[in-house]
Amino acid sequence: MWYIPAKEKLVGLVLHHGKEILASPRMQKERHFMQHGITNCYEHSICVAYIALRIAQKFHIRVDVRSLVRGCLLHDYFLYDWHKKEDACRFHTFCHPKVSLKNALEEFELNAIERDIIIKHMFPLCNKLPKYRESFIITFADKCCAASEIWHFYSLEKIIAAIDGRRETSYPETAGALAESPSF
């Protein structure tokens, strides 16, 4: 299996911009809800944030990094096990973006980009065309991560370990630079 390495700068960006979300008790609750294969919702959200940043960096796409990270971390914030029929909405694929947005708004202040990311990340399955480049990037990153989690094309476990293992650590050497550059 091919392992995607955890690039320090991108790990730092996820930790810096996602600190509030990652520390949330409800976000930690996502560890108990399976997403795809053996990956839980918490791990999936971290991987989507990392891959979205990697896509933006690789293709030199100017993005609002803070909004991209926060939107990615909250895109599947539905807070239930969709594999259990008694817990999930009937058409999970189509209704979970609305549930995720509702849950996210109960806990966090979201800007227009973050809201668009959450509500439109299932495009083209949910006929809502993304408005921002950040929303298009997460749509692609989400599909890449889901495919890998289901069919094991590559492993994102090094990224999860890097972010989850150092979540409590501050990044003094990169925090100033990250705050100064809101986009790639």
Side-chain angles (χ1 to χ4, degrees), residues 67 110-119 131-132 135:
S67 295
L110 304 177
N111 65 30
I113 296 171
E114 294 161 353
R115 289 172 189 229
D116 196 67
I117 286 170
I118 296 167
I119 201 71
K131 182 176 181 180
Y132 302 98
S135 304

Side-chain angles (χ1 to χ4, degrees), residues 21-33 42 77 79 164 167-168:
I21 296 166
L22 291 169
S24 163
R26 290 173 83 191
M27 182 65 165
Q28 292 300 313
K29 189 177 175 182
E30 286 199 322
R31 293 175 185 270
H32 304 289
F33 305 129
Y42 175 85
Y77 204 57
L79 304 171
D164 201 30
R167 189 170 55 85
E168 299 299 322

